[in-house]
Amino acid sequence: MLQGKGLFAKRSIKKGETIFIERPLVSAQFLWNTLYKYKACEYCLRALETAEGNARRLSGIPGLSLPHPELCRVRPEQHQACPQCQVMYCSSECRQAAADQYHQALCLGPSEEDPDHPINKLKDAWRSMHYPPETSSIMLMAKMVAMVKQAKDKAHLQKLFTHFCSRTANEEEEIAHKLLGEQFRGQLALLHSLFTEALYDERLGRWFVPEGFRSLFALVGTNGQGIGTSSLSQWVHACDALELPAQQREHLDSFIDQLYKDIEKETGDFLNCEGSGLFLLQSSCNHSCIPNAEVSFPDNNFLLHLSALCDINQGEEICISYLDCCQRDRSRHSRHKILRENYLFVCSCPKCVSQMDELDVTSEEEEEEEGVAEGETEGDEMEDEMTDV
């Protein structure tokens, strides 16, 4: 496996220790998530609903009251709208930061709801091509363009974006294919056309030619880190930390269990405000199927915390998993299939090396779930040159 970048410990790190906290270079809420009324700060993705409001909407119980409402950290009185387009922010600081960095170039003013505005046409096209659950957003790319347009030092900002893993043309095509499905060629051409119409800037000409656009698309597709925020889950964590008499604890736990059952019945798995961001440090972390670090967003905004899952020695590589917990428990063949399709590399972590003698087949359940082609072997996967993210 060819590895691009990597992150290594400069000192010993203890299990549970926060290795670093990082702010993204750029982030954006998913467009379907916005459409389904998950309200998040347009800048930092902090959930804007109170825990109670969030619980009412997700459970479909309009009169629901949460105990211990004082544990909710959302402060609606601090929320501010852009005076031109009415997009919402969690604070005056976030509104100002967005205006300074990119929002002046993207603000639609009174055209915010106009379906014929070029940016709204671009958003609509993306939604029609990329059904939930989303894994990326065209608005990450739009914000990248807007940031460079507004930047005083445009060359420096463009250079920062080049730190994210670059791809060859055939790899970018594979990523586009994965993100947009069977009709990706026509869809990519349409997105390119709408993107150019909405955002073209001659100083950024290389991002607007077909190859540059495809490269930008691949960049956000493989480097975008999912961000999830939830005022309800923050409230639940705060409830868990309360010291209560046994009977009160049992009553509160029972209430929360029932609430989650009601939410699952009404809404399913989509509990969070969700989006994605580009993080310079985190994007340098390579994958392992037995990671020694994990990403979380405990501040209910876009601040990424990387924490150690075990003791890490000085000089040891810090690895995260690009797979979720369920995917990590699958067979080596299934894990390789997911990583190859989404990130274009073949994993050679200690777990994969130790399972090299396993048959290249998936379980019946995984075959059903993934629609694995009959007779596909890892040998087929290895024919393509892979690079690590």
Side-chain angles (χ1 to χ4, degrees):
M1 175 173 70
L2 298 173
Q3 289 199 171
K5 294 178 288 188
L7 211 60
F8 296 84
K10 292 178 78 171
R11 58 172 178 81
S12 296
I13 299 166
K14 291 289 180 195
K15 178 181 178 179
E17 190 179 332
T18 299
I19 301 168
F20 62 74
I21 299 172
E22 185 178 15
R23 175 187 291 262
L25 200 53
V26 59
S27 62
Q29 188 181 2
F30 292 145
L31 293 177
W32 278 106
N33 199 262
T34 311
L35 197 69
Y36 285 142
K37 297 186 168 52
Y38 288 79
K39 295 180 172 64
C41 173
E42 200 278 330
Y43 180 71
C44 77
L45 302 191
R46 184 184 296 279
L48 295 179
E49 283 180 304
T50 62
E52 189 167 88
N54 196 208
R56 287 175 175 178
R57 181 172 59 80
L58 293 176
S59 66
I61 305 171
L64 182 73
S65 291
L66 294 188
H68 305 287
E70 73 283 355
L71 296 178
C72 175
R73 295 188 204 164
V74 178
R75 298 287 172 263
E77 68 278 4
Q78 294 178 6
H79 296 173
Q80 287 202 1
C82 166
Q84 279 76 44
C85 69
Q86 305 308 310
V87 161
M88 290 300 296
Y89 297 94
C90 69
S91 64
S92 57
E93 290 81 7
C94 278
R95 183 177 69 78
Q96 194 58 53
D100 292 345
Q101 289 175 33
Y102 60 81
H103 188 65
Q104 292 172 50
L106 291 178
C107 183
L108 305 192
S111 302
E112 178 66 25
E113 303 295 329
D114 178 4
D116 292 324
H117 190 285
I119 287 179
N120 285 334
K121 283 162 73 175
L122 178 67
K123 289 179 177 179
D124 189 53
W126 174 260
R127 274 195 300 263
S128 69
M129 296 172 191
H130 200 100
Y131 291 103
E134 283 174 271
T135 54
S136 189
S137 174
I138 197 75
M139 291 312 292
L140 263 188
M141 296 163 63
K143 284 187 177 181
M144 288 167 72
V145 170
M147 283 174 74
V148 177
K149 281 185 177 186
Q150 286 190 214
K152 290 186 175 70
D153 190 344
K154 299 183 192 322
H156 172 68
L157 191 55
Q158 287 185 78
K159 190 176 179 187
L160 282 180
F161 287 128
T162 66
H163 286 289
F164 295 98
C165 187
S166 57
R167 298 284 174 183
T168 64
N170 65 317
E171 288 176 326
E172 285 159 9
E173 194 158 289
E174 256 192 270
I175 294 163
H177 199 155
K178 175 69 185 172
L179 284 178
L180 295 175
E182 290 306 309
Q183 307 304 316
F184 84 98
R185 285 181 201 281
Q187 291 177 336
L188 200 61
L190 174 60
L191 280 178
H192 176 226
S193 167
L194 292 169
F195 190 78
T196 304
E197 182 189 350
L199 296 158
Y200 183 74
D201 187 311
E202 60 183 21
R203 294 165 297 184
L204 287 169
R206 64 190 180 85
W207 281 359
F208 289 94
V209 295
E211 307 81 54
F213 178 73
R214 189 173 61 196
S215 173
L216 211 54
F217 199 87
L219 186 152
V220 300
T222 51
N223 291 283
Q225 163 66 50
I227 300 169
T229 63
S230 166
S231 44
L232 178 60
S233 69
Q234 268 213 321
W235 173 83
V236 170
H237 286 309
C239 286
D240 290 343
L242 287 175
E243 290 186 17
L244 297 171
Q247 195 175 358
Q248 283 185 40
R249 165 55 59 195
E250 193 179 326
H251 187 264
L252 182 58
D253 288 348
S254 170
F255 175 88
I256 291 170
D257 288 345
Q258 185 57 50
L259 174 59
Y260 275 122
K261 284 176 187 167
D262 292 337
I263 288 172
E264 189 175 356
K265 189 175 167 187
E266 178 73 18
T267 310
D269 294 332
F270 298 101
L271 299 180
N272 299 341
C273 293
E274 292 183 340
S276 63
L278 296 177
F279 296 83
L280 277 169
L281 261 181
Q282 176 272 341
S283 73
S284 298
C285 290
N286 284 310
H287 163 83
S288 172
C289 297
I290 39 170
N292 56 12
E294 69 175 353
V295 161
S296 64
F297 294 89
D299 298 323
N300 198 30
N301 64 5
F302 62 14
L303 287 179
L304 178 150
H305 291 235
L306 188 74
S307 307
L309 289 170
C310 57
D311 289 350
I312 301 171
N313 297 321
Q314 183 177 350
E316 193 178 338
E317 184 170 11
I318 297 167
C319 292
I320 58 176
S321 178
Y322 301 168
L323 305 173
D324 63 32
C325 293
C326 295
Q327 291 169 334
R328 289 206 297 274
D329 288 338
R330 294 183 179 184
S331 67
R332 175 178 181 268
H333 179 71
S334 290
R335 297 196 307 273
H336 278 210
K337 185 175 188 298
I338 297 163
L339 290 167
R340 179 194 181 280
E341 287 182 351
N342 291 281
Y343 299 100
L344 309 184
F345 73 90
V346 174
C347 184
S348 59
C349 74
K351 182 175 181 177
C352 287
V353 170
S354 73
Q355 296 174 344
M356 278 180 77
D357 293 335
E358 282 188 6
L359 291 172
D360 290 336
V361 291
T362 52
S363 67
E364 283 177 21
E365 182 186 324
E366 287 171 349
E367 275 192 29
E368 262 180 37
E369 203 172 303
E370 297 172 16
V372 175
E374 235 181 285
E376 182 187 355
T377 67
E378 187 171 79
D380 299 328
E381 295 177 5
M382 293 291 285
E383 284 175 13
D384 294 332
E385 184 182 330
M386 300 297 167
T387 58
D388 200 6
V389 177

